[in-house]
Amino acid sequence: DGGITQSPKYLFRKEGQNVTLSCEQNLNHDAMYWYRQDPGQGLRLIYYSQIVNDFQKGDIAEGYSVSREKKESFPLTVTSAQKNPTAFYLCASRRQDANSNQPQHFGDGTRLSIL
Amino acid sequence: DAKTTQPPSMDCAEGRAANLPCNHSTISGNEYVYWYRQIHSQGPQYIIHGLKNNETNEMASLIITEDRKSSTLILPHATLRDTAVYYCIVRPRISGGGNKLTFGTGTQLKVEL
């Protein structure tokens, strides 16, 4: 089945620890995204990548880091510098073409809780 | 990006058509209308998108008014599994943030027996 896999579904970490969230896609999409969702709110963009070995900060990048060493993988690290990391994290990917109107497709998210 | 306005909640009887409105009166000529839905504790699911023509796929139909200032998402035969928050998003064909999507608070659709 083609799709976007986020793991784990639930993640607990102690305050002050870095934690890495996994996102893998087998859709052969060029662009990948990380969003954060807080209760009752819309999604906010953390980082995005439009090509391997390149990525850009989104609206709320502070306290997060990413890498894009392979087309299919875009892991997100939540560092100890992120002041309020407890949230629902969503990864998305999108096929890029000349029309630029292709939709983003999302994984099922990782719910991170800091103890 | 153009702002969108959606009712916060709607109810629909199972088996009936669910018509979800979205107002985007400041939309510009190169902006597409996208619809997503999010079932509790899951990632958003893409439904449909369009520019100015009406669109239909296996999930839904999208009706965009001639002046493009509003649109309606139609689920022709709603089921209990269609209960979700539905988001209407307007995005330029080429936009900053790698073509990021800006989600508002959407419409909570509740389908009941």
Side-chain angles (χ1 to χ4, degrees):
Chain A
D1 263 4
I4 301 166
T5 302
Q6 290 188 244
S7 61
K9 192 168 178 64
Y10 299 95
L11 191 54
F12 299 90
R13 278 295 181 268
K14 291 183 180 178
E15 204 166 331
Q17 285 183 335
N18 291 356
V19 61
T20 297
L21 283 60
S22 169
C23 179
E24 304 277 331
Q25 54 98 1
N26 60 5
L27 300 167
N28 200 33
H29 286 174
D30 292 296
M32 297 187 73
Y33 306 79
W34 275 105
Y35 291 88
R36 168 185 172 137
Q37 186 174 33
D38 293 284
Q41 298 188 28
L43 280 65
R44 292 183 289 168
L45 182 66
I46 304 172
Y47 267 98
Y48 66 98
S49 167
Q50 298 188 89
I51 195 168
V52 174
N53 292 323
D54 187 49
F55 49 83
Q56 307 295 329
K57 292 182 179 179
D59 300 319
I60 54 163
E62 186 175 348
Y64 299 98
S65 66
V66 293
S67 63
R68 186 88 187 275
E69 296 175 3
K70 298 185 295 183
K71 187 175 186 178
E72 58 269 24
S73 178
F74 191 40
L76 173 75
T77 297
V78 184
T79 75
S80 57
Q82 168 48 234
K83 302 261 187 290
N84 186 18
T86 295
F88 189 41
Y89 289 87
L90 290 156
C91 178
S93 70
R94 190 178 73 91
R95 181 166 67 93
Q96 305 221 99
D97 63 14
N99 287 329
S100 298
N101 66 349
Q102 294 299 318
Q104 291 182 24
H105 296 273
F106 287 82
D108 274 339
T110 291
R111 194 167 296 279
L112 175 63
S113 297
I114 301 299
L115 305 175
Chain B
D1 296 0
K3 288 191 174 178
T4 61
T5 304
Q6 298 179 253
S9 64
M10 292 182 64
D11 294 332
C12 179
E14 189 176 36
R16 304 296 294 267
N19 298 291
L20 295 102
C22 180
N23 182 287
H24 32 78
S25 58
T26 59
I27 194 170
S28 61
N30 69 345
E31 290 184 311
Y32 283 80
V33 180
Y34 293 80
W35 282 85
Y36 283 78
R37 71 181 183 185
Q38 188 173 24
I39 295 169
H40 185 61
S41 293
Q42 295 182 20
Q45 178 187 23
Y46 164 74
I47 301 173
I48 199 166
H49 74 284
L51 183 61
K52 51 186 173 183
N53 298 321
N54 297 339
E55 302 288 343
T56 295
N57 63 20
E58 64 277 5
M59 288 183 69
S61 294
L62 173 61
I63 308 298
I64 303 174
T65 57
E66 195 168 337
D67 63 7
R68 303 209 322 120
K69 293 186 176 183
S70 66
S71 61
T72 301
L73 179 75
I74 301 172
L75 308 178
H77 306 286
T79 70
L80 297 177
R81 285 182 293 183
D82 292 321
T83 292
V85 179
Y86 286 77
Y87 297 97
C88 168
I89 300 162
V90 173
R91 185 184 69 76
R93 178 171 169 269
I94 297 174
S95 62
N99 296 303
K100 71 175 182 180
L101 297 174
T102 301
F103 284 71
T105 52
T107 296
Q108 171 67 63
L109 175 69
K110 187 176 179 183
V111 181
E112 300 171 307
L113 292 171

